[in-house]
Amino acid sequence: MNKMTSSSEPKNVLIVGVGGQGVILVSKILATLCQQQGFQVKQSEVHGMAKRGGGVFSHVRFGESVWSPTIPKGGADILVALEWAEALRWVNFLKPNDGTFISDTQHIVPPFACLSRKRSAEVGYSRETPDEILAHINDGYAMDATGIARELGNDRAANTVLLGVLSTALEFQADDWRNVISSFVPPKTIDINMKAFDQGRDWALKVKDSPDDAARHLRSEHAVPTVPTKAPYDAHDFVHLDINPAWCKSCDICVKMCPERCLQLDENLKAILSAPDRCTGCRICEWLCPDLAITVYRTPEAAAACA
Amino acid sequence: MNTKNNTATAPSASAEVKPLMGNEAIAQGAWEAGVRVAVAYPGTPSTEILEAVNKYPKEDIHAQWSTNEKVALDVAIGGSFQGVRSLAVMKHVGLNVASDALMSQTYIGVNGGLVIVVCDDPGIHSSQNEQDTRLFARFAMVPVLEPSDAQEALDFTKVAFDISEQFDTPVILRSTTRLSHTRSPVALGERVDVPPRPFNENPQKNVMLPTHARVRHAALLEREDAVADYFETSALTKVERGDTKIGVITTSMSYSYVKEVLPDASILKLAGSYPLPQKTIRDFAASVDRVIVVEELEPVIENQLKVWDIKVEGKAFFSRMGEQSSESVRDGFVKAGVLPDEGKGADIIDLDPTVRPPVLCPGCPHTSTYLSVRQTEARVCGDIGCYTLAAVKPLQAIDTCVSMDRASPMRSACPKPEPKPSRLSRPLAIPRSCMRDCRR
């Protein structure tokens, strides 16, 4: 049993993200590991909206005895965020002075982020950069976990990258983490998940070992830059629409519902982005398309990757 | 302090211990209790119970979804008449639909044990209202058990069947969203084999005619006293002796919040809020200087104690609405002068969070339906499910949503055409039958 048992106060870990990202899987992995290590655990979540693109959160509390299943504001020892805006929504749940902040800097922009047709209308997405946020936090880590996972071959392993970072904030053995993760992920993805875990863990250890000045720089080393938030901006630098003509059935929904009127049907009646300069990357077309033919990428790297 | 109660989070070492959601623990409890028929209509936060029941061997439990909650209860009642332990599961608003069956079945009682699991949704995470099922239990004169964690969810489910058969009554096991969706370690047990009872040849009890019902109503009142007596000595009613300045009477999830913020108080933890063990409560109240009742939503316990002229406080400090938490319970005790006001800590960063409303899934086919409907410019009577999201941006395609399956009848109340209607004056219904929630 490790030394955390010496404290009678439970440890509070808050895990947040967007529906479909794997918030519940991450919390199940953590809760199972804690139980294996001999702790009492309560893990609490709210279902129902999870598949609807809404915010999802899960409280994990473990210790010698745990009563309330939820973490009060200002009471979280660790915040693990699978998405940047969700990290900011919950950052004030951290203990003000000694909370650990771990976040993916990928943006999942809500479908209604920009409904205003006015020039220079603001896009409803957090403007704070990782560096600005980390400046307020003693122990913070912001990284493009999704990008790292994508390079490994499966961007769904992003949450395992974050588990690697989390593993350095708790005192369980790395191999115990690896065993529990392997028992939860699909067997075919164990290799990628092990690599993802090690990358997150190694990076966090490197940050911890660095002298203060270097560490400050390293803490957001892999962060995704924040996209300009005034619309319309030079969108083609930041937004790329991937429209699969084979799946488009000319239903016209995206064309009719685009708040910027930047989509059209071409001569073959396939949807195209006819006015890229007006596109704000608001993702309404992606969300509405009944045939999942449209994917919106909203970062320069992602845009370059699929160009 | 009474140590036997520390089992709340500490299952015995010998049994297999597994982390289970409250809902999964209820399913395990039903299986262990020898239930043979389990029926439900789905709805957050209750849905996972029948899904979990369905994982047990088919020869142990027959599990089925019904077309609505009343039919679910009817099927379970059929199982009870046939002498097997039967379970009906629904969310709080589902009990409204099933109440017709419940209000008569409570007169009839049971043959095989009959337990109705009802999951309330304090805080309205995913419902159309915040009603408190404990009021319904009192209304129907059906005992209600209110577990406070997953282990108790399992244990109370088993006890519920014993109470049901011992006292010839349906029993309501009341969960809440927080209990249903919190995972904690649970000690698993073995299934007991409960052989089917023969049909009870007793028309005076099985057939509710006026002459029979009058007799049964009297039996109901006797039953209320008998179950209250049972709770006086039941292990489910627990007294934890602590600081005698404050005595807290509580139940369900509220208990865990009280333990979190007032670990040293004297606590009377009740099995549920109906019927109440009056003598135990009086003795407890007399043993402390001040009695505070902590319960989520309505003052069900508090009001009864006031009728009995027991000096208690409660909703003066704790809200009648919303989900409780350790924070809100702490705030209540601060208001009561029990805890010092330590003020709220300052935020780390002052931020406007990104608005992220839930939306229909990417590619949801209902989207196209709604867009077509919108073009007709008709008034649209919507219905309950994820597609109620069509009420908000960007679809904005439905105008009303009241309760389940109500769209079609509402539509039939068609007003006379106006001279120049801005929207078609004949309303269009989107009945539930043509809008299936993809989670089902």
Side-chain angles (χ1 to χ4, degrees):
Chain A
M1 191 88 66
N2 64 54
K3 65 184 174 188
M4 262 177 308
T5 47
S6 60
S7 153
S8 59
E9 284 285 302
K11 197 97 171 165
N12 298 332
V13 185
L14 186 59
I15 298 156
V16 303
V18 177
Q21 281 197 298
V23 168
I24 306 301
L25 178 71
V26 166
S27 42
K28 272 186 180 174
I29 288 173
L30 175 61
T32 304
L33 179 61
C34 295
Q35 197 210 336
Q36 283 181 5
Q37 306 281 327
F39 292 106
Q40 291 300 324
V41 190
K42 281 190 179 171
Q43 180 230 322
S44 187
E45 66 221 24
V46 170
H47 295 214
M49 292 298 163
K51 287 187 180 167
R52 319 273 179 244
V56 182
F57 53 93
S58 173
H59 304 247
V60 180
R61 306 189 73 211
F62 64 97
E64 276 177 279
S65 76
V66 180
W67 292 106
S68 167
T70 52
I71 301 168
K73 193 176 177 193
D77 295 285
I78 304 172
L79 172 68
V80 179
L82 276 55
E83 199 272 344
W84 184 242
E86 293 309 307
L88 303 195
R89 187 187 315 285
W90 293 96
V91 66
N92 286 317
F93 267 66
L94 273 178
K95 288 184 177 169
N97 299 317
D98 51 359
T100 298
F101 173 96
I102 300 169
S103 178
D104 194 335
T105 50
Q106 277 289 345
H107 306 160
I108 297 182
V109 180
F112 316 119
C114 180
L115 286 173
S116 170
R117 309 279 297 282
K118 267 167 52 190
R119 282 198 82 77
S120 302
E122 281 180 4
V123 175
Y125 189 87
S126 303
R127 268 156 282 172
E128 292 76 9
T129 65
D131 283 339
E132 281 166 19
I133 297 301
L134 294 185
H136 294 271
I137 292 161
N138 276 335
D139 192 26
Y141 306 85
M143 69 193 307
D144 178 13
T146 304
I148 291 171
R150 191 180 293 130
E151 276 172 30
L152 289 170
N154 186 348
D155 55 11
R156 296 192 58 81
N159 42 31
T160 312
V161 177
L162 297 175
L163 280 175
V165 181
L166 174 65
S167 73
T168 67
L170 296 170
E171 298 176 25
F172 308 133
Q173 297 298 314
D175 277 340
D176 294 338
W177 280 99
R178 293 189 186 100
N179 287 339
V180 176
I181 293 169
S182 302
S183 70
F184 272 91
V185 299
K188 280 183 187 165
T189 67
I190 288 178
D191 264 3
I192 282 186
N193 276 290
M194 290 302 99
K195 282 181 197 152
F197 176 81
D198 287 343
Q199 286 220 4
R201 184 175 169 87
D202 293 348
W203 173 71
L205 289 173
K206 190 173 83 177
V207 173
K208 283 180 202 291
D209 284 345
S210 305
D212 280 356
D213 281 352
R216 199 170 303 127
H217 172 68
L218 280 174
R219 280 174 190 280
S220 59
E221 186 187 25
H222 300 289
V224 170
T226 297
V227 173
T229 52
K230 297 284 184 186
Y233 43 74
D234 242 0
H236 45 272
D237 285 350
F238 290 98
V239 180
H240 174 83
L241 247 62
D242 194 10
I243 304 177
N244 184 339
W247 292 357
C248 173
K249 64 168 182 236
S250 322
C251 73
D252 218 18
I253 289 175
C254 57
V255 175
K256 290 231 169 69
M257 293 301 284
C258 172
E260 305 301 333
R261 298 281 191 270
C262 56
L263 292 154
Q264 269 184 5
L265 295 188
D266 68 8
E267 67 277 11
N268 298 319
L269 297 179
K270 300 292 179 188
I272 52 161
L273 180 61
S274 55
D277 54 320
R278 292 211 297 268
C279 173
T280 62
C282 76
R283 295 179 65 232
I284 285 190
C285 53
E286 173 183 299
W287 170 66
L288 288 173
C289 176
D291 295 281
L292 310 177
I294 306 177
T295 311
V296 179
Y297 295 93
R298 210 170 166 271
T299 66
E301 290 85 354
C306 60
Chain B
M1 197 181 281
N2 182 345
T3 50
K4 91 178 173 186
N5 194 51
N6 288 341
T7 51
T9 54
S12 75
S14 57
E16 187 198 346
V17 176
K18 222 173 136 181
L20 292 185
M21 250 201 300
N23 280 348
E24 295 166 332
I26 291 168
Q28 173 75 15
W31 177 77
E32 289 181 17
V35 167
R36 301 209 183 190
V37 174
V39 200
Y41 183 79
T44 308
S46 72
T47 310
E48 297 86 0
I49 298 173
L50 198 76
E51 289 172 350
V53 166
N54 196 39
K55 290 179 183 148
Y56 295 98
K58 301 269 174 291
E59 49 274 22
D60 286 356
I61 303 190
H62 168 78
Q64 74 171 62
W65 294 117
S66 284
T67 192
N68 62 42
E69 290 88 348
K70 178 176 186 300
V71 175
L73 181 53
D74 287 338
V75 175
I77 287 170
S80 171
F81 269 126
Q82 292 190 42
V84 299
R85 290 191 160 185
S86 303
L87 182 80
V89 183
M90 59 201 67
K91 66 184 291 180
H92 59 323
V93 286
L95 191 59
N96 302 335
V97 180
S99 63
D100 187 25
L102 175 69
M103 297 308 288
S104 300
Q105 190 62 30
T106 184
Y107 278 49
I108 292 170
V110 305
N111 186 23
L114 175 64
V115 172
I116 305 156
V117 178
V118 185
C119 299
D120 284 5
D121 190 16
I124 322 187
H125 295 282
S126 185
S127 302
Q128 63 269 45
N129 74 18
E130 201 170 29
Q131 69 188 50
D132 189 334
T133 292
R134 303 176 310 151
L135 292 169
F136 234 126
R138 169 174 293 274
F139 181 34
M141 298 179 71
V142 167
V144 57
L145 299 183
E146 302 171 41
S148 74
D149 67 9
Q151 181 68 54
E152 285 189 354
L154 187 157
D155 296 340
F156 283 27
T157 304
K158 289 160 77 175
V159 174
F161 279 98
D162 295 340
I163 294 175
S164 172
E165 288 173 356
Q166 185 180 342
F167 296 98
D168 192 12
T169 177
V171 174
I172 290 176
L173 185 95
R174 185 244 196 182
S175 178
T176 59
T177 305
R178 193 57 63 184
L179 172 67
S180 283
H181 289 168
T182 293
R183 227 174 241 99
S184 58
V186 173
L188 308 184
E190 296 296 318
R191 177 173 166 92
V192 292
D193 187 40
V194 184
R197 299 174 169 194
F199 184 79
N200 182 6
E201 301 286 356
N202 185 355
Q204 280 76 22
K205 185 171 176 297
N206 294 341
V207 183
M208 279 306 100
L209 299 168
T211 48
H212 299 166
R214 281 184 209 112
V215 177
R216 292 303 301 168
H217 195 174
L220 232 66
L221 294 170
E222 284 169 27
R223 185 176 80 194
E224 180 179 63
D225 289 343
V227 178
D229 279 349
Y230 168 89
F231 284 134
E232 299 279 4
T233 52
S234 161
L236 269 49
T237 309
K238 291 173 177 172
V239 177
E240 300 176 20
R241 295 276 169 219
D243 182 357
T244 55
K245 283 198 210 69
I246 290 292
V248 179
I249 299 177
T250 187
T251 181
S252 69
M253 288 307 295
S254 304
Y255 169 74
S256 59
Y257 305 133
V258 171
K259 289 295 287 182
E260 182 86 21
V261 303
L262 276 190
D264 300 325
S266 290
I267 296 176
L268 170 57
K269 180 178 183 296
L270 298 169
S273 41
Y274 174 86
L276 291 171
Q278 188 178 166
K279 184 179 177 305
T280 305
I281 293 171
R282 279 193 190 283
D283 290 351
F284 178 78
S287 72
V288 294
D289 300 345
R290 186 179 178 193
V291 184
I292 295 180
V293 179
V294 183
E295 55 192 322
E296 217 165 14
L297 298 180
E298 288 299 300
V300 180
I301 299 170
E302 180 184 351
N303 284 354
Q304 182 60 52
L305 301 195
K306 285 180 172 165
V307 167
W308 286 338
D309 216 11
I310 299 172
K311 196 166 172 291
V312 296
E313 303 161 278
K315 289 297 170 186
F317 313 122
F318 302 92
S319 176
R320 279 173 66 188
M321 54 182 277
E323 185 183 21
Q324 282 188 339
S325 63
S326 53
E327 291 156 292
S328 70
V329 170
R330 186 185 303 278
D331 289 348
F333 283 124
V334 169
K335 225 192 251 182
V338 174
L339 287 173
D341 189 356
E342 289 166 355
K344 299 265 178 244
D347 281 351
I348 298 171
I349 311 166
D350 185 21
L351 291 170
D352 282 334
T354 298
V355 182
R356 195 186 297 281
V359 292
L360 292 174
C361 301
C364 173
H366 296 333
T367 306
S368 322
T369 309
Y370 278 130
L371 289 174
S372 316
V373 163
R374 225 167 62 144
Q375 289 189 337
T376 68
E377 296 196 340
R379 289 271 167 230
V380 178
C381 304
D383 215 314
I384 291 194
C386 53
Y387 33 78
T388 314
L389 291 169
V392 296
K393 278 184 178 178
L395 289 170
Q396 291 176 305
I398 64 170
D399 298 295
T400 68
C401 172
V402 182
S403 62
M404 201 163 275
D405 286 326
R406 295 307 93 190
S408 297
M410 281 163 62
R411 175 198 168 276
S412 68
C414 163
K416 281 183 184 164
E418 296 158 17
K420 271 189 178 176
S422 55
R423 302 184 90 173
L424 283 191
S425 51
R426 186 176 182 86
L428 188 74
I430 304 251
R432 193 177 165 73
S433 50
C434 56
M435 301 297 283
R436 294 317 284 185
D437 189 328
C438 55
R439 280 203 69 185
R440 306 269 151 81

